[in-house]
């Protein structure tokens, strides 16, 4: 099986606190991978370090077998936590989704008829068509998350990163989002998702990374999603401080989405 991400010796430190320690792993292509671990384990930090949204110590990183992040950027989509988005930014649902097909990620430039169809399909997939002209500040938690996933759909990437996409969403939105992850996989795409609900892992993910500053276990869900690995990740590691930074703390700003990958 080909690797879509290869990481060697990735470490992140915030001042005197070690957030990630010597992460070395490979992620195979065409999986739905859950990234799970206790609060403060470095899950969001892991995604942001891979995407160069926060600095990491010297390490090796490649995508799609041998591409650098710069070379692979057009093939990658990132959906941040909703708490990191400026929801008072004056834009509509449709404008945000249009960022997925717009080369400058804003949607102020002209959009082709073909791109309009892509945006329309993305809105439909996330059941947002009726809300396309609504200001994003007027959305519910689940709707907000679905808007950014619709933008990722419009981008038509091969590799997707989701940071807690189910946080604060309703049951309808959760079902729509999980169905979309499966659809991505059915189309040959790969997704990495920071996830918290252990009970739903076997039904929604076929690959798992247990993380607690270090790699506790990684592999197919049927092999590594065990009581021993859960205990090793959540109980047997010393609990780290809750050190994962917000985008404001790390100097990032989302929407205007200048960290959009």
């Amino acid at each position: 099986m080909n690797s879509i991400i290869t990481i060697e010796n990735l470490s992140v430190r915030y001042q005197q606190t070690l957030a990630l320690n010597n992460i070395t792993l490979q992620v195979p292509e065409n999986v739905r991978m859950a990234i799970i671990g206790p609060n403060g384990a470095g899950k969001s930090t892991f995604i942001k370090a891979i995407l160069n949204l926060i600095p990491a110590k010297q390490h090796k990183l490649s995508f799609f077998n041998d591409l650098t992040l710069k070379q692979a950027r057009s093939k990658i989509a990132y959906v941040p936590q909703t708490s990191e988005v400026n929801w008072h930014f004056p834009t509509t649902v449709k404008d945000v989704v249009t960022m997925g097909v717009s080369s400058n990620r804003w949607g102020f430039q002209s959009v082709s008829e073909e791109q309009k169809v892509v945006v329309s399909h993305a809105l439909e997939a996330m059941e947002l068509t009726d809300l396309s002209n609504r200001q994003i500040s007027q959305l519910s938690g689940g709707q907000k998350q679905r808007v950014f996933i619709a933008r990722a759909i419009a981008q038509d990437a091969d590799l997707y990163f989701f940071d807690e996409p189910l946080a604060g969403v309703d049951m309808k939105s959760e079902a729509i989002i999980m169905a979309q992850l499966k659809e991505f996989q059915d189309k040959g795409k790969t997704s990495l998702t920071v996830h918290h609900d252990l009970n739903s892992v076997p039904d929604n993910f076929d690959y798992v990374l247990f993380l607690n500053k270090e790699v506790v276990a990684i592999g197919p869900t049927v092999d590594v999603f065990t009581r021993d690995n859960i205990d090793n990740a959540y109980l047997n590691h010393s609990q780290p401080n809750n050190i994962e930074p917000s985008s404001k703390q790390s100097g990032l700003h989302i929407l205007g989405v200048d960290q959009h990958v």
Side-chain angles (χ1 to χ4, degrees):
M1 184 177 292
N2 291 329
S3 297
I4 201 164
I5 306 173
T6 299
I7 303 169
E8 296 182 18
N9 305 318
L10 173 67
S11 297
V12 175
R13 183 179 294 275
Y14 301 126
Q15 297 177 349
Q16 301 304 312
T17 304
L18 185 64
L20 292 174
N21 182 33
N22 197 31
I23 304 297
T24 296
L25 57 81
Q26 292 182 322
V27 178
E29 63 182 7
N30 196 213
V31 296
R32 286 173 291 159
M33 188 175 91
I35 304 169
I36 56 180
N39 290 337
K43 301 181 295 296
S44 295
T45 296
F46 175 68
I47 287 180
K48 291 173 182 175
I50 292 174
L51 298 176
N52 198 30
L53 300 176
I54 57 175
K57 294 179 64 176
Q58 187 173 1
H59 61 281
K60 293 183 180 180
L61 176 66
S62 64
F63 299 85
F64 306 99
N65 292 323
D66 60 358
L67 299 182
T68 65
L69 176 61
K70 183 177 180 179
Q71 292 169 328
R73 194 173 295 276
S74 64
K75 300 174 179 287
I76 300 173
Y78 168 56
V79 178
Q81 296 181 24
T82 55
S83 62
E84 297 182 342
V85 174
N86 176 12
W87 292 105
H88 297 291
F89 190 82
T91 191
T92 66
V93 169
K94 186 175 181 179
D95 286 341
V96 173
V97 178
T98 302
M99 295 176 194
V101 298
S102 174
S103 61
N104 66 6
R105 305 300 179 210
W106 281 103
F108 297 147
Q109 67 187 56
S110 61
V111 178
S112 69
E113 291 302 316
E114 183 178 356
Q115 288 174 323
K116 289 179 181 178
V117 171
V118 171
V119 171
S120 178
H121 286 168
L123 289 166
E124 183 178 356
M126 287 291 102
E127 299 189 17
L128 294 168
T129 303
D130 292 342
L131 302 175
S132 61
N133 293 318
R134 183 171 295 186
Q135 291 289 315
I136 59 172
S137 61
Q138 300 172 349
L139 301 176
S140 69
Q143 291 166 346
K144 289 175 178 177
Q145 192 63 268
R146 282 152 52 197
V147 167
F148 273 79
I149 293 177
R151 185 189 67 177
I153 294 171
Q155 191 176 343
D156 192 26
D158 294 315
L159 174 59
Y160 291 86
F161 291 85
F162 299 97
D163 196 350
E164 299 189 41
L166 302 185
V169 306
D170 54 276
M171 293 183 64
K172 174 183 176 180
S173 293
E174 179 175 339
I176 292 171
I177 292 168
M178 288 295 98
Q180 185 58 52
L181 294 189
K182 181 61 168 64
E183 184 171 337
F184 283 145
Q185 186 178 34
D186 291 343
K187 293 180 178 179
K189 302 173 186 293
T190 302
S191 60
L192 281 68
T193 304
V194 174
H195 191 66
H196 286 283
D197 181 8
L198 293 178
N199 292 325
S200 66
V201 168
D203 291 333
N204 292 302
F205 301 95
D206 62 346
Y207 215 80
V208 175
L209 166 62
F210 283 96
L211 187 68
N212 194 339
K213 290 191 176 184
E214 300 175 345
V215 175
V216 177
I218 184 171
T221 304
V222 294
D223 296 330
V224 305
F225 194 72
T226 64
R227 171 54 60 183
D228 284 346
N229 284 332
I230 292 172
D231 287 346
N232 285 336
Y234 286 83
L235 300 178
N236 296 341
H237 276 66
S238 59
Q239 293 297 307
N241 295 325
N242 191 0
I243 53 174
E244 297 183 36
S246 68
S247 288
K248 292 181 180 179
Q249 291 170 327
S250 57
L252 306 174
H253 304 281
I254 305 178
L255 204 58
V257 191
D258 43 359
Q259 82 201 87
H260 180 72
V261 176

